[in-house]
Amino acid sequence: MNAVDRVTVRDRLLEVGRDQSLRRELGWETALDFIGDLGSHPLHFLFGVIFDYQIPYEKAWRAPFVLEGRLVERGIKFSAESIAKMSEEELAEILKRKPALHRFPGKVSKALIEAAKRVNTKYNSDPLSIWSDKPTAKQLEERFDDFWGIGQKNASMAVRLLVEWFNVEVSGDWSGIDVSGDRNVLRVFKRLGLIDKEEVGKAIQVARELNPSYPGALDFPAWAIGIKWCKSKNPECPSCPLGDICPKLL
Ligand code: SF4
């Protein structure tokens, strides 16, 4: 694909990314509506980033609030201090209660407790402090990446959500906000001819080249196309918004 084609693909992806109705249709706004006022729910946000792992995102972002209710029933406050004192077994039992809050209760309970401990030791028990001191975008991604159980994919997602949806300020520009290694993003980038292998590093690099002021802006449209049209089997090219320009490298 030559440079002009790549720019055309980039521009079409950015156009898809601006489609608010697509965001609503895919439930993205619904998921984030759960958080609402970020200042009142910073721990819910951090836990949502952890829950958002191999389960539907609406379920993932609802989970911290359901967990809060289950903890309160047991007389446990939904706070980093209280949760850090719980055992993984105790928290896993609460996650498993029907309807289960996650398909991997053991791993997620460990991640939640480790996150609570890190908030206590590193951020003075205040999860808002993870982002409130205006770090650079890159520093903010690294802060999320440093939590046990949060990898690059969810760390970069957390930064995009904070700056795009919750207007959290970062120092400098958004050039340090990358795309994620989500499998939908990788598959769509590959079929569009932007990368030759579904590798996270290649996706990050090409997004930086194509949209240097904000590489992460290419994440949502590629993810949405992967969810709605460019499925791993039987992609629906005729109705895909990139159908007329995509080389369809299946
Ligand atoms: S045109 Fe087809 S192959 Fe290309 S991104 Fe759309 S669904 Fe995928």
Coordinates of all heavy atoms in Angstrom, one line a residue, residues 188 191-192 225 229-231 235-237 240-244 246-250, ligand 1:
V188 N -8.0 -5.9 12.0 CA -8.4 -4.9 11.1 C -7.2 -4.2 10.4 O -7.1 -4.0 9.2 CB -9.4 -3.9 11.7 CG1 -9.6 -2.7 10.8 CG2 -10.7 -4.6 12.1
R191 N -5.8 -6.6 7.8 CA -6.6 -6.8 6.6 C -6.6 -5.5 5.8 O -6.8 -5.5 4.6 CB -8.0 -7.2 7.0 CG -8.1 -8.6 7.5 CD -9.5 -9.0 8.0 NE -9.5 -10.4 8.4 CZ -10.6 -11.0 8.9 NH1 -11.7 -10.4 9.0 NH2 -10.5 -12.3 9.1
L192 N -6.4 -4.4 6.5 CA -6.3 -3.1 5.7 C -4.9 -2.9 5.1 O -4.7 -1.9 4.4 CB -6.6 -1.9 6.7 CG -8.0 -1.7 7.1 CD1 -8.1 -0.7 8.3 CD2 -8.9 -1.2 6.0
I225 N -14.8 -1.6 13.9 CA -15.0 -2.3 12.6 C -14.7 -3.8 12.8 O -15.4 -4.6 12.3 CB -14.0 -1.7 11.6 CG1 -14.4 -0.3 11.2 CG2 -13.8 -2.6 10.4 CD1 -13.4 0.5 10.4
W229 N -18.0 -5.5 11.7 CA -18.0 -6.0 10.3 C -16.8 -7.0 10.0 O -17.0 -8.0 9.4 CB -17.8 -4.8 9.3 CG -18.9 -3.9 9.2 CD1 -20.1 -4.0 8.5 CD2 -19.0 -2.6 9.9 NE1 -20.9 -2.9 8.7 CE2 -20.3 -2.0 9.6 CE3 -18.2 -1.9 10.8 CZ2 -20.7 -0.8 10.0 CZ3 -18.6 -0.6 11.2 CH2 -19.9 -0.1 10.9
C230 N -15.7 -6.7 10.6 CA -14.5 -7.4 10.2 C -14.2 -8.5 11.2 O -13.2 -8.6 11.9 CB -13.3 -6.5 10.1 SG -11.9 -7.2 9.2
K231 N -15.2 -9.4 11.3 CA -15.1 -10.5 12.3 C -14.0 -11.5 11.8 O -13.7 -11.6 10.6 CB -16.4 -11.2 12.4 CG -17.5 -10.2 13.0 CD -18.9 -10.6 12.7 CE -19.8 -9.5 13.2 NZ -21.1 -9.6 12.7
P235 N -16.1 -12.0 7.3 CA -16.2 -10.5 7.4 C -17.2 -10.0 6.4 O -17.4 -10.5 5.3 CB -14.7 -10.0 7.0 CG -14.2 -11.2 6.2 CD -14.8 -12.4 6.8
E236 N -17.9 -8.9 6.8 CA -19.0 -8.4 6.0 C -18.5 -7.1 5.2 O -18.8 -6.0 5.5 CB -20.2 -8.0 6.9 CG -20.7 -9.2 7.6 CD -21.7 -8.9 8.8 OE1 -22.2 -7.8 8.8 OE2 -21.8 -9.8 9.7
C237 N -17.6 -7.4 4.3 CA -17.0 -6.3 3.5 C -18.0 -5.4 2.8 O -17.8 -4.2 2.7 CB -16.0 -6.9 2.5 SG -14.7 -7.9 3.4
C240 N -19.1 -2.8 5.1 CA -18.1 -2.2 6.0 C -17.8 -0.8 5.5 O -17.7 -0.5 4.2 CB -16.8 -3.0 5.9 SG -15.4 -2.2 6.7
P241 N -17.6 0.2 6.4 CA -17.3 1.6 5.9 C -16.0 1.7 5.2 O -15.8 2.8 4.6 CB -17.3 2.4 7.2 CG -17.6 1.5 8.3 CD -17.8 0.1 7.8
L242 N -15.1 0.7 5.3 CA -13.9 0.8 4.5 C -13.9 -0.1 3.3 O -12.9 -0.3 2.7 CB -12.7 0.5 5.4 CG -12.2 1.7 6.3 CD1 -13.0 1.8 7.5 CD2 -10.8 1.6 6.6
G243 N -15.1 -0.7 3.0 CA -15.2 -1.7 2.0 C -14.6 -1.3 0.6 O -14.1 -2.1 -0.1
D244 N -14.8 0.0 0.3 CA -14.4 0.5 -1.1 C -12.9 0.8 -1.2 O -12.4 0.9 -2.3 CB -15.2 1.7 -1.5 CG -15.0 2.9 -0.5 OD1 -14.8 2.6 0.7 OD2 -15.1 4.0 -0.9
C246 N -10.5 -0.9 1.1 CA -9.7 -1.9 1.8 C -9.2 -2.9 0.8 O -9.9 -3.4 0.0 CB -10.6 -2.6 2.8 SG -9.8 -3.9 3.7
P247 N -7.9 -3.3 0.9 CA -7.3 -4.4 0.1 C -7.8 -5.8 0.5 O -7.6 -6.7 -0.2 CB -5.8 -4.2 0.2 CG -5.7 -3.6 1.6 CD -6.9 -2.7 1.8
K248 N -8.5 -5.9 1.6 CA -9.1 -7.1 2.1 C -8.1 -8.3 2.1 O -8.3 -9.3 1.5 CB -10.3 -7.5 1.2 CG -11.3 -6.4 1.1 CD -12.5 -6.7 0.3 CE -13.5 -5.5 0.1 NZ -12.9 -4.3 -0.5
L249 N -7.0 -8.0 2.9 CA -6.0 -9.1 3.0 C -6.4 -10.1 4.0 O -5.9 -10.1 5.2 CB -4.6 -8.4 3.3 CG -4.2 -7.3 2.3 CD1 -2.9 -6.6 2.8 CD2 -4.0 -7.9 1.0
L250 N -7.3 -11.0 3.6 CA -7.8 -11.9 4.6 C -6.9 -13.1 4.8 O -6.1 -13.5 3.9 CB -9.2 -12.4 4.1 CG -10.2 -11.3 3.9 CD1 -11.5 -12.0 3.3 CD2 -10.5 -10.5 5.1
Ligands
SF4_1 S1 -13.5 -4.2 4.0 FE1 -13.7 -6.3 4.8 S2 -11.6 -6.9 5.3 FE2 -11.6 -4.7 5.0 S3 -11.8 -3.9 7.1 FE3 -13.9 -4.1 6.2 S4 -14.6 -6.1 6.8 FE4 -12.4 -6.1 7.1

